[in-house]
Amino acid sequence: MTGTRAPAAATPLQGTAVPRGRPKASPTAPPRSFVWTRRIVLTLLAVFAATPLLVMLSSSLKPLQDVSGGFRWIPTRVTVSPYLDIWSTVPLADYFVNSLIVAGSATGASVLIATFAAYAVSRYRFRGKRLFTVTILSTQMFPGILFLLPLFLIFVNLGNATGIALYGSRGALIVTYLTFTLPFSVWMLIGYFDSIPRDLDEAALTDGCGPLGALFRVVVPAAVPGIVAVAVYSFMTAWGEVLFASVMTNEATRTLAIGLQGYSTQTQVYWNQVMAASLVASVPVVAGFLLLQRYLVTGLTAGAVK
Amino acid sequence: MTTLSPPGTSRTEDEPGPPGKGPEHVRRRRILPDRLRRAGLPYLLLLPALILEILIHLAPMAVGVVMSFKELTQEYIRNWDLAPWAGTDNFRIAVDVNAPVGEALLDSFLITCAFTVLAVGLAWLLGVTAAILMQETFRGRGLLRALFLTPYALPVYTAVITWSFLLQRDDGMVNHVIHDQLGLTDSEPFWLIGDNSFIALVVVSVWRTWPFAFLILMAALQNIPRELYEAAQVDGAGIRQQIRRITLPSLRPVNQVLVLVLFLWTFNDFNVPYILFGKSAPEAADLISIHIYQSSFVTWDFGSGSAMSVLLLLFLLVVTGCYLLATGRGRKAR
């Protein structure tokens, strides 16, 4: 991240050390009051951020009696049975696979299509370029609810007309999610490609690469952080989408987003299993996100926030 | 839309094609096809994105506008060309604030506005505070950043389901803390029904969105040259002055986009209320997306739902347009 290390700033207790007395190593050692403000504010934020996560974890390890009727911070009895039961209470594995297929396909396709489009916008001058970027970005602001109904009806009617079951199929969901993530992906990759010197791909072009050769051999490798960032964003979006999944899936194609509601019956909610299943559903995206967040920050720094 | 050159001439994938805008001498022999190819290639590259956006976003949008002028009730769902035209009836019902439908829509709209202002303001405030405080390295910064980003990384449904557990009246952590442990209330309050549901909605929304503001601002802070701070320090500027004179002004362009994005996301938010409250949100937390969803899918009156959606889109267009004009961002857009 920032290359500069600030050793004095790293150990807040030395805050009284006067920065000017030191050599250039820590020109910005913060004063003591700032260090304390930072500690207090960041601690409060950490508590706010972490509490639900801790409750999720601790409740997922409690037997059912202990999650209903009074809350306890520390589980008195620890059990892993919720993690075993979640798979049989609802067909969670099926939902998991569905989510994986849908989010994975949508991400792959979105990244590829966005790469093409961003390359065109970044490297070529052509008529309609402005129209394209404005149009594609403005679709980002449309509320999902606005085209949910028409899209739902289009899929139903198209399905009736052609005999292909679009409504309820994974394909329809993949295509829908793909278009959700395209605008942001294109936008971010344009910024990222712009930051890659043109000399690089022009050299490749003079060396006899076609435009696509230049794209895949030179530009894409140089844009890996941006592309990873876009992929992470796309996967997270598709994995977490609820509105369209609630309308456009059926029993066989149901994704985790809707499947997790299966742990409540009319009379009771299996909160320990809900928490366990939530954790299981979160692990792939959270792990991926935290592993790749470095890329995300780099990608954003070079692309979107410029 | 955009015109496309004949497909035969624009396929350059396999052969060593002409340079995008490089030297002309490379293939002087076939100058015409080359030029056509060069003109066609960008369109070809854009084509997949364009087709999909038109198919999934723009066409349904057009259909939605048509639908808003139709009387599209349950019996016409399977065969909606047969639905009779309703003229502007759907719109008139939606904006008639003296009738129950229009009144409910207006209430929902006002609640959404209040919710958006609060949630976006708080999310931005927390994000910018954390980003500035974490600009310098200190021990545990990486870990803390991972923790802060986790709520954003969580799939929205698991995050909100967890919150709905925390906010349960009898079994939840929130009531355990404020009633049992701190004794702040006489009885355990309800959070997911009644007026408190608005507070619950804001808290959950902020919890989920502030890390995004934090992430973007953190990235933006890295673009500020360190020399600026060093120079300011030599001139004797304190931390507070540095933040006010260097950090915040440098963040302005990013803030403009960030606030707009947060506004659109929050205003259109469907996921949080839908998962927190289920299909029927309490009146105090009846956000516009939920309201439209209910008016369409629960009562199966798609015509009136579409009319409300169109009104919502018009509102968002006007707000976004004014915002872009006011911040002078529109002209600079690519």
Side-chain angles (χ1 to χ4, degrees):
Chain A
M1 323 264 66
T2 46
T4 359
R5 289 190 61 239
T11 46
L13 278 178
Q14 301 175 348
T16 40
V18 185
R20 234 160 270 146
R22 295 171 171 274
K24 264 263 177 223
S26 67
T28 50
R32 205 189 178 106
S33 63
F34 177 77
V35 169
W36 276 102
T37 316
R38 179 167 76 191
R39 276 192 196 162
I40 293 167
V41 173
L42 291 185
T43 307
L44 289 176
L45 278 174
V47 170
F48 180 49
T51 308
L53 306 175
L54 290 177
V55 171
M56 189 198 258
L57 180 65
S58 78
S59 303
S60 73
L61 294 168
K62 293 176 185 174
L64 186 60
Q65 308 89 284
D66 290 8
V67 283
S68 42
F71 178 84
R72 249 181 232 100
W73 284 101
I74 316 279
T76 41
R77 285 170 290 178
V78 173
T79 168
V80 291
S81 67
Y83 285 93
L84 305 175
D85 297 339
I86 49 174
W87 307 98
S88 52
T89 311
V90 302
L92 189 69
D94 293 349
Y95 301 153
F96 205 90
V97 171
N98 283 335
S99 279
L100 216 53
I101 294 173
V102 169
S105 317
T107 303
S110 172
V111 168
L112 192 69
I113 294 172
T115 303
F116 283 138
Y119 182 65
V121 173
S122 167
R123 291 300 196 257
Y124 291 91
R125 247 183 300 169
F126 56 91
R127 207 181 301 182
K129 178 159 147 178
R130 210 186 126 82
L131 180 71
F132 171 78
T133 41
V134 169
T135 310
I136 205 162
L137 264 185
S138 62
T139 59
Q140 185 79 335
M141 67 177 259
F142 299 153
I145 193 78
L146 185 66
F147 52 91
L148 173 68
L149 324 176
L151 198 61
F152 169 73
L153 291 186
I154 287 176
F155 279 146
V156 167
N157 283 286
L158 218 59
N160 286 350
T162 59
I164 310 165
L166 285 168
Y167 164 63
S169 73
R170 289 194 200 97
L173 211 57
I174 291 170
V175 173
T176 310
Y177 289 172
L178 161 59
T179 56
F180 282 180
T181 58
L182 260 185
F184 182 77
S185 303
V186 171
W187 182 54
M188 185 147 151
L189 283 181
I190 290 173
Y192 208 89
F193 287 173
D194 280 348
S195 74
I196 298 170
R198 269 152 203 269
D199 308 355
L200 274 183
D201 40 321
E202 270 163 24
L205 287 168
T206 26
D207 285 353
C209 279
L212 289 183
L215 169 61
F216 283 113
R217 291 205 200 121
V218 179
V219 178
V220 167
V224 163
I227 290 174
V228 170
V230 164
V232 171
Y233 161 79
S234 303
F235 194 86
M236 279 172 50
T237 307
W239 189 267
E241 207 283 333
V242 178
L243 174 59
F244 283 72
S246 79
V247 175
M248 303 217 306
T249 57
N250 57 31
E251 193 53 52
T253 56
R254 191 155 295 167
T255 56
L256 285 170
I258 306 306
L260 284 195
Q261 293 169 7
Y263 293 100
S264 10
T265 62
Q266 288 291 335
T267 50
Q268 193 174 24
V269 183
Y270 300 104
W271 281 117
N272 55 346
Q273 289 191 44
V274 175
M275 293 298 112
S278 296
L279 240 136
V280 169
S282 307
V283 162
V285 271
V286 174
F289 179 83
L290 292 182
L291 281 176
L292 300 172
Q293 50 135 332
R294 199 166 289 270
Y295 285 104
L296 203 60
V297 174
T298 327
L300 285 168
T301 311
V305 301
K306 256 234 171 93
Chain B
M1 292 305 316
T2 44
T3 46
L4 194 75
S5 63
T9 54
S10 47
R11 282 222 180 93
T12 50
E13 283 99 289
D14 302 321
E15 37 186 319
K21 33 192 285 199
E24 291 289 321
H25 59 263
V26 181
R27 280 193 165 220
R28 200 165 280 275
R29 259 183 317 129
R30 298 188 300 153
I31 191 104
L32 184 69
D34 272 3
R35 196 187 285 161
L36 262 181
R37 255 187 241 164
R38 209 173 307 146
L41 184 66
Y43 296 116
L44 198 68
L45 289 172
L46 291 182
L47 198 61
L50 211 55
I51 290 180
L52 283 168
E53 288 300 320
I54 291 173
L55 217 64
I56 306 295
H57 278 112
L58 299 180
M61 195 84 61
V63 171
V65 173
V66 172
M67 276 164 57
S68 65
F69 291 103
K70 286 206 164 198
E71 198 184 310
L72 205 57
T73 45
Q74 193 167 11
E75 45 193 310
Y76 299 110
I77 290 296
R78 295 271 156 195
N79 233 330
W80 52 292
D81 332 323
L82 297 182
W85 290 97
T88 53
D89 281 1
N90 289 325
F91 290 94
R92 234 178 286 156
I93 293 169
V95 295
D96 182 6
V97 291
N98 296 320
V101 175
E103 199 188 349
L105 185 68
L106 182 68
D107 283 347
S108 165
F109 173 76
L110 294 176
I111 287 166
T112 312
C113 288
F115 163 73
T116 306
V117 168
L118 265 175
V120 171
L122 285 172
W124 180 82
L125 193 68
L126 294 187
V128 78
T129 308
I132 288 176
L133 290 179
M134 290 172 73
Q135 196 175 5
E136 290 296 322
T137 35
F138 56 87
R139 218 184 323 163
R141 186 176 78 145
L143 205 67
L144 206 55
R145 181 165 66 194
L147 170 64
F148 285 172
L149 291 178
T150 302
Y152 173 65
L154 281 184
V156 54
Y157 47 91
T158 64
V160 182
I161 285 175
T162 305
W163 271 102
S164 78
F165 175 55
L166 300 182
L167 294 167
Q168 292 294 309
R169 181 172 183 254
D170 297 324
D171 313 335
M173 182 231 55
V174 172
N175 276 350
H176 178 64
V177 170
I178 64 172
H179 179 70
D180 303 348
Q181 294 190 317
L182 300 176
L184 294 179
T185 50
D186 296 334
S187 64
E188 294 176 319
F190 285 99
W191 292 103
L192 299 179
I193 52 175
D195 289 347
N196 285 342
S197 56
F198 182 77
I199 302 170
L201 194 60
V202 172
V203 170
V204 177
S205 172
V206 169
W207 187 79
R208 258 191 58 71
T209 45
W210 83 265
F212 178 76
F214 168 65
L215 179 71
I216 299 289
L217 292 169
M218 199 171 56
L221 284 179
Q222 300 197 350
N223 280 337
I224 304 178
R226 294 191 69 80
E227 292 76 38
L228 279 182
Y229 291 103
E230 284 164 21
Q233 221 158 31
V234 171
D235 292 346
I239 292 255
R240 209 170 290 203
Q241 266 178 313
Q242 287 176 32
I243 290 173
R244 208 173 32 198
R245 295 280 162 77
I246 302 174
T247 313
L248 290 179
S250 311
L251 287 181
R252 178 166 296 172
V254 175
N255 273 332
Q256 284 172 358
V257 179
L258 177 65
V259 167
L260 180 64
V261 169
L262 285 178
F263 161 75
L264 290 172
W265 282 357
T266 311
F267 199 91
N268 295 328
D269 196 4
F270 173 84
N271 297 331
V272 173
Y274 180 73
I275 304 166
L276 207 52
F277 308 116
K279 279 192 171 126
S280 56
E283 233 171 89
D286 185 22
L287 295 192
I288 197 93
S289 287
I290 287 282
H291 191 83
I292 295 176
Y293 182 88
Q294 257 178 314
S295 324
S296 331
F297 280 93
V298 177
T299 62
W300 291 97
D301 187 350
F302 286 93
S304 127
S306 299
M308 293 179 193
S309 302
V310 171
L311 290 174
L312 173 62
L313 178 68
L314 287 178
F315 171 75
L316 292 174
L317 278 175
V318 168
V319 171
T320 308
C322 292
Y323 183 85
L324 290 178
L325 278 181
T327 57
R329 191 88 190 169
R331 266 157 284 137
K332 273 189 282 169
R334 191 178 289 273

